[in-house]
Short mmCIF file of all heavy atoms in Angstrom, two decimals:
data_model
loop_
_atom_site.label_atom_id
_atom_site.label_comp_id
_atom_site.label_asym_id
_atom_site.label_seq_id
_atom_site.Cartn_x
_atom_site.Cartn_y
_atom_site.Cartn_z
N LEU A 1 -58.78 -54.42 -141.05
CA LEU A 1 -59.05 -55.11 -139.81
C LEU A 1 -57.78 -55.74 -139.27
O LEU A 1 -56.92 -56.18 -140.03
CB LEU A 1 -60.11 -56.20 -140.02
CG LEU A 1 -61.43 -55.78 -140.67
CD1 LEU A 1 -62.38 -56.97 -140.72
CD2 LEU A 1 -62.06 -54.61 -139.93
N SER A 2 -57.69 -55.79 -137.95
CA SER A 2 -56.57 -56.44 -137.28
C SER A 2 -57.11 -57.45 -136.28
O SER A 2 -58.21 -57.29 -135.75
CB SER A 2 -55.70 -55.42 -136.53
OG SER A 2 -55.15 -54.46 -137.42
N CYS A 3 -56.34 -58.48 -136.02
CA CYS A 3 -56.69 -59.46 -135.01
C CYS A 3 -55.42 -59.83 -134.25
O CYS A 3 -54.53 -60.49 -134.79
CB CYS A 3 -57.32 -60.71 -135.63
SG CYS A 3 -57.81 -61.97 -134.43
N GLU A 4 -55.34 -59.37 -133.00
CA GLU A 4 -54.21 -59.69 -132.14
C GLU A 4 -54.49 -60.98 -131.38
O GLU A 4 -55.55 -61.13 -130.78
CB GLU A 4 -53.95 -58.55 -131.16
CG GLU A 4 -53.50 -57.26 -131.82
CD GLU A 4 -53.25 -56.16 -130.81
OE1 GLU A 4 -54.23 -55.54 -130.35
OE2 GLU A 4 -52.07 -55.93 -130.47
N VAL A 5 -53.54 -61.89 -131.41
CA VAL A 5 -53.70 -63.21 -130.83
C VAL A 5 -52.74 -63.39 -129.68
O VAL A 5 -51.57 -63.01 -129.77
CB VAL A 5 -53.48 -64.31 -131.89
CG1 VAL A 5 -53.66 -65.69 -131.29
CG2 VAL A 5 -54.42 -64.11 -133.07
N SER A 6 -53.21 -63.98 -128.60
CA SER A 6 -52.37 -64.28 -127.46
C SER A 6 -52.79 -65.62 -126.85
O SER A 6 -53.90 -66.09 -127.07
CB SER A 6 -52.44 -63.17 -126.40
OG SER A 6 -53.76 -63.02 -125.91
N GLY A 7 -51.88 -66.23 -126.10
CA GLY A 7 -52.19 -67.45 -125.40
C GLY A 7 -51.94 -68.73 -126.18
O GLY A 7 -52.25 -69.82 -125.68
N LEU A 8 -51.40 -68.63 -127.38
CA LEU A 8 -51.04 -69.80 -128.16
C LEU A 8 -49.78 -69.51 -128.97
O LEU A 8 -49.35 -68.36 -129.06
CB LEU A 8 -52.20 -70.25 -129.06
CG LEU A 8 -52.87 -69.23 -129.98
CD1 LEU A 8 -51.99 -68.90 -131.19
CD2 LEU A 8 -54.22 -69.75 -130.45
N THR A 9 -49.20 -70.57 -129.52
CA THR A 9 -48.04 -70.40 -130.38
C THR A 9 -48.54 -70.00 -131.76
O THR A 9 -48.98 -70.83 -132.55
CB THR A 9 -47.22 -71.70 -130.45
OG1 THR A 9 -46.84 -72.10 -129.13
CG2 THR A 9 -45.96 -71.49 -131.29
N PHE A 10 -48.49 -68.71 -132.02
CA PHE A 10 -49.14 -68.13 -133.19
C PHE A 10 -48.69 -68.78 -134.49
O PHE A 10 -49.52 -69.03 -135.38
CB PHE A 10 -48.88 -66.62 -133.21
CG PHE A 10 -49.59 -65.87 -134.29
CD1 PHE A 10 -50.98 -65.84 -134.33
CD2 PHE A 10 -48.89 -65.19 -135.27
CE1 PHE A 10 -51.65 -65.15 -135.32
CE2 PHE A 10 -49.54 -64.48 -136.25
CZ PHE A 10 -50.92 -64.47 -136.28
N SER A 11 -47.40 -69.08 -134.61
CA SER A 11 -46.88 -69.63 -135.85
C SER A 11 -47.35 -71.06 -136.11
O SER A 11 -47.15 -71.58 -137.21
CB SER A 11 -45.35 -69.58 -135.86
OG SER A 11 -44.81 -70.32 -134.77
N ASP A 12 -47.96 -71.71 -135.13
CA ASP A 12 -48.50 -73.06 -135.31
C ASP A 12 -49.92 -73.06 -135.87
O ASP A 12 -50.49 -74.13 -136.07
CB ASP A 12 -48.51 -73.83 -133.99
CG ASP A 12 -47.13 -74.26 -133.54
OD1 ASP A 12 -46.19 -74.22 -134.37
OD2 ASP A 12 -46.99 -74.64 -132.37
N TYR A 13 -50.48 -71.88 -136.11
CA TYR A 13 -51.88 -71.79 -136.47
C TYR A 13 -52.10 -71.10 -137.80
O TYR A 13 -51.50 -70.06 -138.09
CB TYR A 13 -52.66 -71.03 -135.38
CG TYR A 13 -52.87 -71.85 -134.13
CD1 TYR A 13 -51.86 -72.01 -133.21
CD2 TYR A 13 -54.10 -72.45 -133.89
CE1 TYR A 13 -52.05 -72.77 -132.07
CE2 TYR A 13 -54.29 -73.22 -132.74
CZ TYR A 13 -53.27 -73.37 -131.85
OH TYR A 13 -53.46 -74.12 -130.72
N TYR A 14 -52.94 -71.72 -138.61
CA TYR A 14 -53.55 -70.99 -139.70
C TYR A 14 -54.54 -69.99 -139.11
O TYR A 14 -55.17 -70.26 -138.09
CB TYR A 14 -54.31 -71.94 -140.64
CG TYR A 14 -53.45 -72.89 -141.42
CD1 TYR A 14 -53.32 -74.21 -141.01
CD2 TYR A 14 -52.80 -72.49 -142.59
CE1 TYR A 14 -52.55 -75.10 -141.74
CE2 TYR A 14 -52.03 -73.38 -143.32
CZ TYR A 14 -51.91 -74.68 -142.89
OH TYR A 14 -51.14 -75.56 -143.63
N MET A 15 -54.69 -68.87 -139.78
CA MET A 15 -55.67 -67.88 -139.37
C MET A 15 -56.69 -67.70 -140.49
O MET A 15 -56.34 -67.72 -141.67
CB MET A 15 -55.01 -66.55 -139.04
CG MET A 15 -54.06 -66.60 -137.85
SD MET A 15 -54.89 -67.02 -136.29
CE MET A 15 -56.03 -65.65 -136.12
N SER A 16 -57.93 -67.51 -140.08
CA SER A 16 -59.00 -67.35 -141.04
C SER A 16 -59.87 -66.17 -140.65
O SER A 16 -59.96 -65.80 -139.48
CB SER A 16 -59.87 -68.61 -141.13
OG SER A 16 -59.12 -69.74 -141.53
N TRP A 17 -60.48 -65.58 -141.66
CA TRP A 17 -61.50 -64.55 -141.46
C TRP A 17 -62.84 -65.08 -141.95
O TRP A 17 -62.94 -65.67 -143.03
CB TRP A 17 -61.16 -63.27 -142.21
CG TRP A 17 -60.01 -62.50 -141.65
CD1 TRP A 17 -58.71 -62.54 -142.05
CD2 TRP A 17 -60.06 -61.55 -140.57
NE1 TRP A 17 -57.95 -61.69 -141.30
CE2 TRP A 17 -58.76 -61.06 -140.38
CE3 TRP A 17 -61.09 -61.07 -139.75
CZ2 TRP A 17 -58.45 -60.12 -139.41
CZ3 TRP A 17 -60.78 -60.13 -138.78
CH2 TRP A 17 -59.48 -59.66 -138.62
N PHE A 18 -63.86 -64.87 -141.14
CA PHE A 18 -65.24 -65.16 -141.49
C PHE A 18 -66.06 -63.90 -141.27
O PHE A 18 -65.63 -62.98 -140.58
CB PHE A 18 -65.81 -66.30 -140.63
CG PHE A 18 -65.16 -67.63 -140.84
CD1 PHE A 18 -63.95 -67.94 -140.24
CD2 PHE A 18 -65.76 -68.60 -141.64
CE1 PHE A 18 -63.36 -69.18 -140.43
CE2 PHE A 18 -65.18 -69.83 -141.84
CZ PHE A 18 -63.97 -70.12 -141.23
N ARG A 19 -67.24 -63.88 -141.84
CA ARG A 19 -68.15 -62.76 -141.60
C ARG A 19 -69.59 -63.27 -141.57
O ARG A 19 -69.91 -64.31 -142.13
CB ARG A 19 -68.00 -61.67 -142.67
CG ARG A 19 -68.48 -62.09 -144.05
CD ARG A 19 -68.18 -61.00 -145.07
NE ARG A 19 -68.65 -61.35 -146.40
CZ ARG A 19 -68.40 -60.65 -147.49
NH1 ARG A 19 -67.67 -59.54 -147.41
NH2 ARG A 19 -68.88 -61.04 -148.67
N GLN A 20 -70.43 -62.50 -140.90
CA GLN A 20 -71.84 -62.82 -140.83
C GLN A 20 -72.64 -61.56 -141.08
O GLN A 20 -72.62 -60.63 -140.27
CB GLN A 20 -72.20 -63.44 -139.48
CG GLN A 20 -73.63 -63.95 -139.41
CD GLN A 20 -73.88 -64.78 -138.16
OE1 GLN A 20 -73.17 -64.67 -137.17
NE2 GLN A 20 -74.91 -65.61 -138.22
N ALA A 21 -73.34 -61.53 -142.20
CA ALA A 21 -74.18 -60.40 -142.54
C ALA A 21 -75.50 -60.49 -141.80
O ALA A 21 -75.93 -61.59 -141.39
CB ALA A 21 -74.43 -60.37 -144.04
N PRO A 22 -76.18 -59.36 -141.60
CA PRO A 22 -77.48 -59.40 -140.93
C PRO A 22 -78.44 -60.35 -141.62
O PRO A 22 -78.64 -60.26 -142.84
CB PRO A 22 -77.97 -57.95 -141.01
CG PRO A 22 -76.72 -57.14 -141.14
CD PRO A 22 -75.79 -57.98 -141.96
N GLY A 23 -79.02 -61.25 -140.87
CA GLY A 23 -80.00 -62.18 -141.40
C GLY A 23 -79.44 -63.31 -142.23
O GLY A 23 -80.21 -64.05 -142.84
N LYS A 24 -78.13 -63.47 -142.28
CA LYS A 24 -77.50 -64.51 -143.08
C LYS A 24 -76.61 -65.38 -142.22
O LYS A 24 -76.25 -65.03 -141.10
CB LYS A 24 -76.69 -63.90 -144.22
CG LYS A 24 -77.50 -63.08 -145.21
CD LYS A 24 -76.64 -62.52 -146.32
CE LYS A 24 -76.09 -63.61 -147.22
NZ LYS A 24 -75.33 -63.04 -148.36
N GLU A 25 -76.26 -66.54 -142.77
CA GLU A 25 -75.35 -67.44 -142.09
C GLU A 25 -73.91 -66.93 -142.20
O GLU A 25 -73.56 -66.19 -143.12
CB GLU A 25 -75.45 -68.85 -142.68
CG GLU A 25 -76.81 -69.50 -142.52
CD GLU A 25 -77.15 -69.74 -141.07
OE1 GLU A 25 -76.27 -70.17 -140.30
OE2 GLU A 25 -78.30 -69.48 -140.69
N ARG A 26 -73.08 -67.36 -141.27
CA ARG A 26 -71.68 -66.99 -141.31
C ARG A 26 -71.01 -67.62 -142.53
O ARG A 26 -71.28 -68.78 -142.88
CB ARG A 26 -70.98 -67.44 -140.03
CG ARG A 26 -69.54 -66.97 -139.90
CD ARG A 26 -69.07 -67.04 -138.46
NE ARG A 26 -69.19 -68.36 -137.90
CZ ARG A 26 -69.18 -68.64 -136.60
NH1 ARG A 26 -69.07 -67.64 -135.72
NH2 ARG A 26 -69.29 -69.88 -136.18
N GLU A 27 -70.15 -66.87 -143.18
CA GLU A 27 -69.47 -67.35 -144.36
C GLU A 27 -67.97 -67.09 -144.25
O GLU A 27 -67.52 -66.15 -143.60
CB GLU A 27 -70.01 -66.69 -145.63
CG GLU A 27 -69.78 -65.19 -145.70
CD GLU A 27 -70.26 -64.57 -147.00
OE1 GLU A 27 -70.52 -65.32 -147.96
OE2 GLU A 27 -70.38 -63.33 -147.05
N TRP A 28 -67.21 -67.93 -144.92
CA TRP A 28 -65.77 -67.80 -144.93
C TRP A 28 -65.34 -66.67 -145.86
O TRP A 28 -65.94 -66.45 -146.91
CB TRP A 28 -65.14 -69.12 -145.40
CG TRP A 28 -63.68 -69.03 -145.71
CD1 TRP A 28 -62.65 -68.88 -144.84
CD2 TRP A 28 -63.09 -69.07 -147.02
NE1 TRP A 28 -61.45 -68.84 -145.51
CE2 TRP A 28 -61.70 -68.95 -146.84
CE3 TRP A 28 -63.60 -69.20 -148.31
CZ2 TRP A 28 -60.81 -68.96 -147.92
CZ3 TRP A 28 -62.73 -69.22 -149.38
CH2 TRP A 28 -61.35 -69.09 -149.17
N VAL A 29 -64.29 -65.96 -145.47
CA VAL A 29 -63.77 -64.83 -146.24
C VAL A 29 -62.36 -65.09 -146.75
O VAL A 29 -62.07 -64.93 -147.93
CB VAL A 29 -63.80 -63.54 -145.41
CG1 VAL A 29 -63.15 -62.39 -146.18
CG2 VAL A 29 -65.23 -63.18 -145.04
N SER A 30 -61.45 -65.49 -145.84
CA SER A 30 -60.04 -65.60 -146.22
C SER A 30 -59.31 -66.54 -145.29
O SER A 30 -59.65 -66.67 -144.12
CB SER A 30 -59.38 -64.22 -146.19
OG SER A 30 -58.00 -64.29 -146.50
N CYS A 31 -58.26 -67.20 -145.82
CA CYS A 31 -57.31 -67.98 -145.03
C CYS A 31 -55.93 -67.37 -145.19
O CYS A 31 -55.56 -66.93 -146.29
CB CYS A 31 -57.24 -69.44 -145.49
SG CYS A 31 -58.76 -70.39 -145.33
N ILE A 32 -55.17 -67.38 -144.11
CA ILE A 32 -53.77 -66.95 -144.12
C ILE A 32 -52.96 -68.08 -143.50
O ILE A 32 -53.17 -68.44 -142.35
CB ILE A 32 -53.56 -65.64 -143.35
CG1 ILE A 32 -54.42 -64.52 -143.94
CG2 ILE A 32 -52.09 -65.25 -143.38
CD1 ILE A 32 -55.75 -64.35 -143.25
N GLY A 33 -52.02 -68.64 -144.26
CA GLY A 33 -51.24 -69.79 -143.82
C GLY A 33 -50.37 -69.49 -142.62
O GLY A 33 -50.07 -68.32 -142.31
N SER A 34 -49.94 -70.55 -141.94
CA SER A 34 -49.18 -70.40 -140.71
C SER A 34 -47.70 -70.10 -140.92
O SER A 34 -47.08 -69.46 -140.08
CB SER A 34 -49.31 -71.67 -139.86
OG SER A 34 -48.83 -72.81 -140.56
N GLY A 35 -47.13 -70.58 -142.01
CA GLY A 35 -45.71 -70.39 -142.26
C GLY A 35 -45.44 -69.60 -143.51
O GLY A 35 -45.27 -68.37 -143.46
N VAL A 36 -45.45 -70.29 -144.64
CA VAL A 36 -45.29 -69.63 -145.92
C VAL A 36 -46.43 -68.63 -146.12
O VAL A 36 -47.55 -68.85 -145.66
CB VAL A 36 -45.26 -70.66 -147.06
CG1 VAL A 36 -45.09 -69.97 -148.41
CG2 VAL A 36 -44.15 -71.67 -146.85
N ASP A 37 -46.11 -67.53 -146.78
CA ASP A 37 -47.11 -66.50 -147.05
C ASP A 37 -48.07 -66.99 -148.12
O ASP A 37 -47.90 -66.69 -149.31
CB ASP A 37 -46.45 -65.20 -147.47
CG ASP A 37 -45.80 -64.47 -146.32
OD1 ASP A 37 -46.21 -64.69 -145.17
OD2 ASP A 37 -44.88 -63.67 -146.58
N THR A 38 -49.08 -67.74 -147.69
CA THR A 38 -50.10 -68.25 -148.59
C THR A 38 -51.45 -67.75 -148.11
O THR A 38 -51.73 -67.74 -146.92
CB THR A 38 -50.10 -69.78 -148.64
OG1 THR A 38 -50.26 -70.31 -147.32
CG2 THR A 38 -48.79 -70.30 -149.23
#
């Protein structure tokens, strides 16, 4: 999966992935840090 971001200073933001399965609540999947590769 890819997520292209525009309209903000990308390096100032942590990025996260969430998912929502059919019939279930949205859940967190992953965090990617804003600076250091964490």
